[in-house]
Amino acid sequence: MIESKGWNWKIVSDDKDSIWKNPAIESYYLLSRWTSQGMKDFLDLGCGLGRHTILFGKNGFNVKAFDISEVAVEKTKSWAEEEGLTIETKTGDMLELPYEDSSVDCIYCRNVISHTDTEGMKKVVEELRRVLRKGGECYLTLGSKDTWGFKQESWPLVDSNTRLRMEEGPEYKTPHFYVDYKLAKELFKEFEIVNIYQVVNYHEKEDKVLDSYHYHLLIKKV
Ligand SMILES: C[S@@+](CC[C@H](N)C(=O)[O-])C[C@H]1O[C@@H](n2cnc3c(N)ncnc32)[C@H](O)[C@@H]1O
């Protein structure tokens, strides 16, 4: 299994207008859904700068914020303090979550669990299942094999689904695992798949338009 490597958050802006400080679109849907389902214990897996920790914390959830990057966890912790929120923060590796079996109601891991290889992904899926309560839900994203990054043949292939990302920036040399629809379904076959869809984001870089495809899955522990 490839060694885990988090983001280098030291080189990312934490200005209030940064995308990493503003909740992602679907997070408001999840907030509404999980509130109406009476969920309380929320795990922000791969919390980054804490944009979803703060959103769920402000809305009455008991938040556990977790990331492999100490910088990310520290920044999340100080933002929560500024907001007067009490949250639990931990630094560690998603391959071995430091939480009891069946201890959380809902998990949000946006653009996080793909940071491993095929073997690591199987371990993460087991960990999600272990820590979720029965009936609990997880929203996650997985890089799609249709995305430009998977097609970069000069980037080292770790296994048939995984490449090291060689673009300069916070993700330099982090592993990226990619799926197609069949593999995404296969990975989560022990769960009920409530919803699965693919989203494309377009980024303009110099004179190129990069198309970044992700599968989004909402899964339930049965
Ligand atoms: C693209 S960022 C997303 C951050 C956050 N989920 C958000 O939407 O703002 C990916 C995050 O996953 C973390 N990460 C990568 N590998 C990890 C691992 N093995 N265990 C825990 N966190 C990891 C990175 O450090 C980074 O903070």
Side-chain angles (χ1 to χ4, degrees):
M1 198 184 309
I2 194 160
E3 198 179 327
S4 296
K5 186 172 189 297
W7 267 42
N8 178 5
W9 283 106
K10 285 189 188 145
I11 61 168
V12 179
S13 162
D14 61 359
D15 186 88
K16 69 175 177 38
D17 295 329
S18 152
I19 60 159
W20 301 111
K21 297 283 279 191
N22 291 281
I25 290 171
E26 75 279 347
S27 61
Y28 298 99
Y29 165 70
L30 295 173
L31 181 62
S32 158
R33 177 183 177 91
W34 290 340
T35 300
S36 68
Q37 289 176 347
M39 299 208 179
K40 273 279 167 208
D41 296 321
F42 169 82
L43 172 59
D44 189 359
L45 173 50
C47 59
L49 297 183
R51 56 184 178 156
H52 303 125
T53 286
I54 301 303
L55 178 68
F56 281 78
K58 276 185 171 174
N59 283 281
F61 283 76
N62 303 324
V63 179
K64 299 174 201 299
F66 178 83
D67 204 289
I68 199 170
S69 154
E70 279 176 23
V71 174
V73 172
E74 278 311 310
K75 291 205 174 201
T76 298
K77 196 172 172 179
S78 48
W79 188 8
E81 280 165 9
E82 281 166 31
E83 298 284 350
L85 296 171
T86 307
I87 56 155
E88 179 189 319
T89 52
K90 281 190 179 162
T91 306
D93 194 332
M94 63 188 176
L95 299 176
E96 216 167 319
L97 292 173
Y99 305 109
E100 304 273 309
D101 296 0
S102 304
S103 58
V104 297
D105 295 317
C106 43
I107 306 176
Y108 192 12
C109 37
R110 188 181 219 275
N111 294 1
V112 174
I113 63 168
S114 289
H115 289 309
T116 186
D117 60 9
T118 303
E119 208 186 328
M121 180 57 61
K122 289 181 187 155
K123 182 80 178 78
V124 177
V125 173
E126 278 171 25
E127 283 295 87
L128 295 175
R129 193 150 168 266
R130 183 182 67 73
V131 303
L132 267 181
R133 295 195 175 108
K134 195 168 176 215
E137 293 189 345
C138 172
Y139 191 95
L140 62 103
T141 62
L142 295 170
S144 161
K145 285 186 173 173
D146 291 331
T147 210
W148 70 280
F150 187 62
K151 297 175 191 159
Q152 300 308 299
E153 292 189 355
S154 59
W155 291 1
L157 201 58
V158 175
D159 61 42
S160 60
N161 304 310
T162 314
R163 277 193 197 279
L164 284 191
R165 194 173 178 115
M166 301 307 286
E167 194 187 26
E168 289 297 332
E171 300 186 272
Y172 182 60
K173 285 196 174 164
T174 56
H176 280 65
F177 168 86
Y178 299 92
V179 295
D180 53 22
Y181 178 67
K182 192 167 163 242
L183 180 54
K185 292 241 328 186
E186 171 66 20
L187 279 169
F188 295 97
K189 63 176 188 290
E190 305 290 342
F191 292 81
E192 177 191 333
I193 298 181
V194 179
N195 208 335
I196 176 168
Y197 58 101
Q198 196 173 176
V199 176
V200 54
N201 286 94
Y202 296 99
H203 312 278
E204 291 192 13
K205 196 167 177 204
E206 289 143 21
D207 56 344
K208 282 191 248 162
V209 179
L210 303 177
D211 51 349
S212 172
Y213 289 75
H214 285 88
Y215 284 94
H216 287 229
L217 285 87
L218 177 62
I219 57 173
K220 186 189 282 289
K221 179 171 169 178
V222 286

